[in-house]
Structures are given as C-alpha cells and as structure tokens.
Amino acid sequence: MAWVLNLVENEPPVTTAQTNLEAGAALYNKHCMVCHGPERLGAGDYPSIVGVEKKYNLTQFTELLSTGRRMMPGFNHLSKEEKNAIGSFILDLKAEQAKPYTGKSEAKTAKAAKPSYGSTGYNKFLTKEGYPAISPPWGTLNAINLNTGKYVWKVPFGEFEELKKKGVPTTGRENYGGPVVTAGGLIFIGATADGKFRAIDKKTGKILFETDLPAPGVATPAVYEADGKQYVVIACGGSKWGGKSSDAYVAFTL
C-alpha cells in the first residue's frame, strides 16, 4: 500500500491570550491531525471523529484522551487545561470554547526551537474507485527458505469480489495478521480485507480451502487440541477497513 504524506508549515506559538477554541484548534493540529486529518475525517486506517460529540461529553472525552483506546495512545503528558481545550474544539462546545484558555502557552514554556513542519496524516494512495493506485499485486503471501534466505514461492493474497466477477486475475489485497502452520504442512490464515479464511499448501502456496468469516479476521489464528481432536480458531473483529465488524470467534476442526 502506497501512502501520501503532506507536510504543512506549523503556525508559530501564540503569545497573546487565547480562548479554549483557539488553543484547542492549535493543540489538535499538533497532537491529533496526523491521525485524524485536518478536517477530522480520518486518514488511512484512522477513523473519522466528525460527530463524536454524539457519543461523548467533555468529561468522558478527556478521560479517553488520558487512557487511549485501541490504536490511539493515551495523552497523559497533556495538562487538564489542554485536554479541556481539545475537547471543547472537537466536541464543538460553544460555551466552553468561549472561555479563556488557562493552560500554559508553548511560546512561554518552549526551551528549544520547535519543528517548522507537521503532517496532515496518513493518506492511502488510491484511485477514484478506491483501489490502490499502483500496479498489483496489492498483497502477497510469501514462503522463504530460512536456510538460504531465498523465496520458495510468492502468490497474490486476497481479492476484490467485484474485480473477480469481471474476470480480473487475483490482485491481492491489504492484509494484517499472521498465519499458523500445522505439522501436516497446512497454512491457516485470515488477515485480508475480503473477510476470507484460507488453508494453503505450505509447499506450493496453492489455496486448498477458503470460506467467508462473519467479518475480516485481522488476527493470527490459534491451533490447539481438545479431547484428541485438533482445532484452529480465529477472532473475527473486522472493522479495520470500515466494513463489517463482529465479536465472533470461529473455530474449525481439522
């Protein structure tokens, strides 16, 4: 997956008195824009936060900034005043935005020169149809001989159903999550955005079995034995690409 990153010039710290709105906008650009974008619409695998005021009040939002959630880290280095300013900006709280910002000014506390540039976020390089704007394969599964360091085989991994129906050869697709390999030579893997679960021949890369999961299994499967029978199980959380999501675990017997 190719990504486009844009540099933007940082605004110099403001030395005059600010409102929570002004400080919140500046703090958002510094701490949040790289993931959620300049218009708060999200970027890459990071979600949009437009309309987040329907889910959180100011107290809940500042707690979220402290603890973090999923891919978002906690921002415990920010002061209470800074979190309140960011919250008033993102949640569009007019009364809070109009209040004077009482936090520390960066211009007064800075001991060294700040970087002159920042980023607008991680943006995938896509066509207008939403496909990767580079030549396929857009995802591969590879086998490497660890004795020689050379590839044994490399195959496109994952597909777009609508392209498949048009007769387009397997393109491969963005994927996150590792495989497991059994003693019998089977590779089990989910990982792809097409929501498939596949069994693959370790020696050749040939797909021997595939089935649809409730949502993409963006996780590494587990293999275990119970009562003399072997199982493989995968968590099907999905949602990384904004499609189906689920709380299901799916297990298969071997």
Side-chain angles (χ1 to χ4, degrees):
M1 177 62 68
W3 300 74
V4 179
L5 283 83
N6 295 307
L7 290 178
V8 291
E9 190 170 0
N10 289 331
E11 295 182 2
V14 177
T15 57
T16 57
Q18 293 178 286
T19 63
N20 277 331
L21 174 59
E22 293 167 330
L27 289 164
Y28 175 87
N29 289 344
K30 178 179 179 180
H31 299 287
C32 313
M33 183 172 66
V34 67
C35 293
H36 297 293
E39 305 299 327
R40 292 176 280 168
L41 296 174
D45 294 322
Y46 298 95
S48 167
I49 53 174
V50 172
V52 74
E53 67 274 7
K54 297 175 182 177
K55 297 175 60 178
Y56 298 98
N57 59 34
L58 183 58
T59 299
Q60 293 168 330
F61 186 82
T62 55
E63 289 176 354
L64 177 65
L65 286 179
S66 297
T67 61
R69 185 166 181 255
R70 295 178 181 167
M71 296 170 66
M72 173 183 155
F75 288 83
N76 281 316
H77 61 286
L78 296 179
S79 67
K80 178 181 178 181
E81 292 79 11
E82 289 172 319
K83 293 173 186 175
N84 282 339
I86 294 173
S88 72
F89 171 70
I90 293 177
L91 302 178
D92 197 25
L93 303 175
K94 302 298 186 186
E96 287 293 326
Q97 289 175 352
K99 293 179 180 178
Y101 173 62
T102 58
K104 294 180 179 180
S105 167
E106 281 192 40
K108 295 178 181 178
T109 59
K111 295 181 179 179
K114 297 293 184 181
S116 299
Y117 295 90
S119 170
T120 59
Y122 301 92
N123 303 289
K124 294 179 180 180
F125 183 40
L126 303 175
T127 67
K128 62 182 180 180
E129 295 83 12
Y131 302 116
I134 55 175
S135 299
W138 299 324
T140 61
L141 187 65
N142 315 289
I144 299 173
N145 185 324
L146 296 183
N147 292 317
T148 64
K150 295 182 179 180
Y151 286 99
V152 179
W153 49 259
K154 177 185 290 190
V155 296
F157 180 49
E159 59 192 4
F160 287 90
E161 192 64 32
E162 65 274 20
L163 296 181
K164 181 180 178 181
K165 290 178 180 178
K166 293 179 180 179
V168 176
T170 302
T171 58
R173 195 161 175 179
E174 193 175 5
N175 56 86
Y176 297 91
V180 291
V181 184
T182 68
L186 292 177
I187 297 170
F188 287 99
I189 186 169
T192 57
D194 58 22
K196 303 282 187 180
F197 187 66
R198 296 177 171 93
I200 297 168
D201 188 326
K202 182 182 78 169
K203 294 182 179 180
T204 64
K206 181 181 179 181
I207 297 174
L208 304 176
F209 164 82
E210 70 176 24
T211 189
D212 291 311
L213 297 171
V218 187
T220 301
V223 177
Y224 62 97
E225 181 181 332
D227 298 326
K229 186 175 290 187
Q230 190 174 8
Y231 298 84
V232 58
V233 63
I234 187 167
C236 310
S239 78
K240 188 173 183 70
W241 297 279
K244 292 181 180 179
S245 61
S246 169
D247 60 358
Y249 285 82
V250 179
F252 302 86
T253 57
L254 305 185

